[in-house]
Amino acid sequence: MSSVLSNTLFLLEVIGILAFAASGMIEGVRRGVDLFGIGLLAFLTAFGGGTVRDLLLDRRPFFWVENEYWLWLPILVALFGPFILRSRIIEITSKTVKWPDAIGLGAWSANGTLLALEMGETILVSALMGVVTAAVGGIIRDLLLNRTPLVIIDHEPYLLISLLGGLLIGALITLGTPKVEAAIVTTVFIFIVRAAVILAEWRLPAIQNHNSLPE
């Protein structure tokens, strides 16, 4: 792996960790949990997806164990983030958490996909690794907050955007685009599409169930 590609993966990890740690911290503040709970939410949201990805790819040590300094990022977010929110600089709403989440979606989808491609996985498998990296942390966060994960019930094309982004990286690389440029283009693409979904409030149609649930 070239140094430029390694630096690109490094940068995507920084962006993804900070963004998802912020989304976990914001949800913790919204739910009124204590400082330790906020730290736990920030940690698991930031590292959950990448850890499951590493498990599936049989990659050891885990990325945050190999680079211990990553642990300081969610710690700093958990310590200082709540004070920024309480200063009313940022209004805390259900939509507030979606913006750092959109940034993390782009960074982690590209990172997970590119890392799997570098390990010799197919484009489809690599794209799914990008989805896992981007989505699992938020799922863990929502489960800890005792709610059905939003990626399942809010009908926004969150997982679809991540998957399309991963396939885009594979297509660009197949067409001869350098891997670094492909990762950057995909990260920006995912964020723009996710931002459009948030602003326009686009929803996927629900599957209608005309039968009552069995007892």
Side-chain angles (χ1 to χ4, degrees):
M1 185 184 301
S2 68
S3 59
V4 176
L5 183 57
S6 296
N7 290 336
T8 301
L9 288 170
F10 177 90
L11 179 60
L12 291 173
E13 283 186 356
V14 172
I15 295 172
I17 291 170
L18 285 174
F20 276 177
S23 74
M25 177 272 297
I26 293 171
E27 284 290 8
V29 172
R30 287 185 65 226
R31 295 303 185 94
V33 303
D34 59 31
L35 187 60
F36 180 81
I38 290 173
L40 182 63
L41 288 171
F43 178 88
L44 292 176
T45 309
F47 295 136
T51 301
V52 173
R53 174 205 64 202
D54 287 353
L55 280 170
L56 293 173
L57 293 175
D58 196 22
R59 185 169 179 258
R60 299 293 189 280
F62 296 142
F63 74 102
W64 52 271
V65 176
E66 184 178 17
N67 303 304
E68 185 180 338
Y69 45 81
W70 283 154
L71 298 175
W72 287 102
L73 297 181
I75 290 173
L76 293 174
V77 169
L79 287 176
F80 297 105
F83 296 103
I84 296 175
L85 293 178
R86 289 170 184 167
S87 67
R88 303 295 182 179
I89 296 175
I90 302 174
E91 185 180 2
I92 307 175
T93 67
S94 60
K95 189 174 286 189
T96 303
V97 71
K98 293 184 178 182
W99 289 106
D101 204 61
I103 297 171
L105 179 68
W108 269 141
S109 296
N111 176 278
T113 303
L114 193 54
L115 186 61
L117 286 171
E118 283 296 294
M119 296 182 67
E121 302 297 338
T122 65
I123 292 176
L124 179 57
V125 169
S126 298
L128 290 173
M129 289 301 102
V131 174
V132 167
T133 310
V136 170
I139 292 173
I140 295 173
R141 175 199 65 206
D142 291 344
L143 290 174
L144 287 176
L145 291 171
N146 197 31
R147 69 183 183 190
T148 304
L150 292 178
V151 297
I152 297 175
I153 62 172
D154 68 0
H155 301 298
E156 293 184 358
Y158 189 91
L159 301 180
L160 177 61
I161 295 170
S162 177
L163 178 62
L164 291 176
L167 295 175
L168 176 60
I169 285 186
L172 289 173
I173 293 175
T174 300
L175 293 172
T177 305
K179 294 176 181 178
V180 172
E181 283 81 348
I184 294 172
V185 168
T186 299
T187 301
V188 174
F189 166 80
I190 292 174
F191 173 74
I192 291 175
V193 175
R194 177 61 178 151
V197 168
I198 295 172
L199 293 173
E201 298 184 350
W202 291 334
R203 297 288 188 275
L204 294 173
I207 303 300
Q208 297 298 323
N209 179 18
H210 300 291
N211 301 313
S212 59
L213 294 175
E215 295 295 334

